[in-house]
Amino acid sequence: MAGAVDLSVLKDRPAPAPAAEPAGEAGGLAPIVDVTAATFEAEVLQRSTQVPVIVDLGSARSPQSQSLTRQLGQMAVEAGGAWVLARVDVDSNPQIAQAFGVQAIPTVVAVAAGQPLADFQGTQSDEQLRQWLQAVEQATAGKLTGPPGATAAEPEPEIEDPRIVAAEEAIDEGDFDKAAAAYEAIIDAEPKNTDAVAALRQVKFLARVQNVAPDAIETADADPTNIQARIEAADAEMAGQEPEQAFARLIDGIKISAGDDRTALRTRLLELFELFDPADPLVVSARRKLASALY
């Protein structure tokens, strides 16, 4: 049903403010509202931008409808405003039943952000109802604005690791050896600390580029066969935020070299790859080019 429902036909009617009912515990929304065609936009479409609205389409002539409405009403009160139960008498509001394409009663439809999300027909056990409602809440978690007046929970203050703080202070002071030692101590104690491993790679790179000659790129361009100059030029380009050029320089060197020279170029290229997320498009592309150069 949900995918074929067009609720826009009910948007053009006057939309009074939501009916005054006892407020729920979460931000002041009434947990249960009775909806007519005139109040549908305000009570269902607008409210569903805040929390899920569970539309109960039933009839006083149907004992099954009445039983299901009582079940949902109790659960709505227990939910305290996490979702709203919108009760619709289809005998008095056939337009709403038609808009939802109701084939039988009772029918229940979950509406979120103005759109039908899920539905079912007929009666359900308490356990089945709670599972269905839980699935609706999970599907909409973090996607709606929340009840009016609700405030987001204050995030827990992040506790900084003093070992990381000490390493970062050493970097700020330009003492890369001290910073590297600090990260290595963390890794010795926590081999799976990926943040420390990544930070150590960055520190080692920063320490290395301090010794690269200012004219490294010009030197390498002047003598393409100078492998050490090519490696230093790649470091200089990486430090200058030109990773694509750095990768290309090393790969071009691999194509024209062999033996220890090729190994040195490949080793440096892999070290530079490790400064990035493996899924980075630049790295993915460069790895393909490396494979072509090697094989």
Side-chain angles (χ1 to χ4, degrees):
M1 173 197 295
V5 175
D6 179 9
L7 303 182
S8 63
V9 296
L10 297 172
K11 286 187 175 182
D12 297 330
R13 300 175 181 275
E21 293 200 24
E25 295 176 6
L29 282 182
I32 304 171
V33 292
D34 290 315
V35 175
T36 66
T39 63
F40 184 86
E41 181 174 0
E43 299 286 16
V44 176
L45 300 184
Q46 292 179 9
R47 281 198 186 198
S48 72
T49 65
Q50 301 169 337
V51 296
V53 175
I54 307 302
V55 182
D56 174 19
L57 298 127
S59 168
R61 298 180 291 103
S62 167
Q64 288 184 322
S65 289
Q66 296 303 299
S67 175
L68 180 59
T69 296
R70 284 192 293 272
Q71 284 177 281
L72 287 169
Q74 180 180 349
M75 294 177 188
V77 172
E78 292 173 2
W83 51 272
V84 169
L85 174 62
R87 300 182 301 204
V88 177
D89 181 349
V90 298
D91 295 327
S92 303
N93 300 278
Q95 310 96 313
I96 299 178
Q98 183 178 4
F100 279 110
V102 172
Q103 301 295 318
I105 55 171
T107 290
V108 175
V109 184
V111 178
Q115 297 295 325
L117 177 65
D119 61 79
F120 66 83
Q121 293 179 352
T123 57
Q124 305 283 321
S125 68
D126 280 358
E127 181 180 358
Q128 289 173 318
L129 267 182
R130 292 186 191 281
Q131 289 177 350
W132 186 81
L133 291 166
Q134 183 179 31
V136 170
E137 290 190 63
Q138 290 175 345
T140 58
K143 299 177 182 177
L144 304 176
T145 63
T151 55
E154 287 289 331
E156 291 290 331
E158 186 176 345
I159 300 176
E160 292 188 284
D161 186 330
R163 302 171 301 173
I164 298 294
V165 172
E168 291 175 346
E169 289 176 349
I171 293 173
D172 291 340
E173 294 167 1
D175 192 339
F176 299 114
D177 290 340
K178 181 178 178 181
Y183 286 123
E184 286 169 348
I186 295 173
I187 295 168
D188 288 342
E190 304 170 21
K192 295 183 179 180
N193 191 321
T194 55
D195 289 339
V197 171
L200 179 59
R201 290 169 179 162
Q202 294 284 347
V203 167
K204 286 184 174 180
F205 172 74
L206 291 172
R208 190 171 70 232
V209 298
Q210 304 304 307
N211 299 318
V212 172
D215 61 347
I217 295 175
E218 290 79 3
T219 300
D221 288 342
D223 183 4
T225 64
N226 187 331
I227 300 302
Q228 186 56 38
R230 185 182 288 272
I231 289 173
E232 291 185 2
D235 275 353
E237 287 169 329
M238 184 65 68
Q241 304 298 313
E242 296 179 333
E244 192 168 9
Q245 289 90 323
F247 295 159
R249 183 180 294 277
L250 294 173
I251 292 170
D252 288 344
I254 289 170
K255 292 177 181 178
I256 62 173
S257 63
D260 291 342
D261 287 345
R262 172 176 277 204
T263 298
L265 290 164
R266 180 176 179 274
T267 298
R268 179 52 49 85
L269 181 60
L270 295 179
E271 289 173 349
L272 295 184
F273 284 167
E274 289 180 338
L275 300 176
F276 295 81
D277 185 320
D280 187 295
L282 286 178
V283 175
V284 173
S285 175
R287 283 191 180 278
R288 285 199 297 263
K289 293 174 182 177
L290 171 62
S292 297
L294 289 172
Y295 307 108

